[in-house]
């Protein structure tokens, strides 16, 4: 069974702010980080201390790395997550 979850960034950001206000959260795992266009600054402004970005596509991971390389406790893993230990292709949509 394959699942696709899509929640708009606006809704996710609102949920994150609500969670930060309710709970003592200092770490965040961002799966499918892409280039981190707005997220890096957003997470810094929220004072999230530890962020681990996961992005499998090298060109996106490289760009994201350049944004976070000098930010303490922000790190990046260039890996894909899945149910099998295998190498496969990733489709990049024209957007």
């Amino acid at each position: 069974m394959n699942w696709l979850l899509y929640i708009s960034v606006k809704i996710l950001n609102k949920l994150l702010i609500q969670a930060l206000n309710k709970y003592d959260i200092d770490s965040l795992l961002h799966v499918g980080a892409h280039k981190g266009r707005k997220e890096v600054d957003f997470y810094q402004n929220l004072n999230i201390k530890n962020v681990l970005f996961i992005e499998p596509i090298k060109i996106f991971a490289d760009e994201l790395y350049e944004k976070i390389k000098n930010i303490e406790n922000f790190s990046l893993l260039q890996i894909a997550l899945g149910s099998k230990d295998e190498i496969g292709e990733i489709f990049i949509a024209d957007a």
Side-chain angles (χ1 to χ4, degrees):
M1 182 178 300
N2 294 315
W3 292 88
L4 174 64
L5 173 64
Y6 176 79
I7 302 174
S8 76
V9 172
K10 188 174 183 179
I11 293 171
L12 282 175
N13 290 348
K14 183 178 178 181
L15 290 171
L16 177 58
I17 291 169
Q18 288 174 350
L20 290 169
N21 288 331
K22 187 172 182 178
Y23 304 104
D24 183 24
I25 297 172
D26 66 355
S27 300
L28 179 78
L29 174 64
H30 186 132
V31 178
H34 197 249
K35 299 176 185 178
R37 288 185 181 143
K38 297 178 183 177
E39 293 85 0
V40 173
D41 291 335
F42 182 66
Y43 298 154
Q44 284 185 295
N45 290 335
L46 292 175
N47 293 317
I48 299 174
K49 305 296 182 216
N50 305 293
V51 179
L52 175 58
F53 294 96
I54 295 179
E55 175 52 56
I57 300 172
K58 182 173 178 14
I59 57 173
F60 299 153
D62 289 347
E63 189 171 328
L64 177 56
Y65 175 76
E66 288 301 315
K67 292 178 183 168
I68 67 167
K69 67 182 179 184
N70 296 318
I71 304 173
E72 188 176 354
N73 296 322
F74 275 39
S75 54
L76 167 69
L77 290 177
Q78 186 194 334
I79 60 170
L81 303 174
S83 60
K84 298 178 184 175
D85 185 7
E86 64 184 2
I87 295 175
E89 292 184 32
I90 295 177
F91 175 75
I92 302 173
D94 295 330

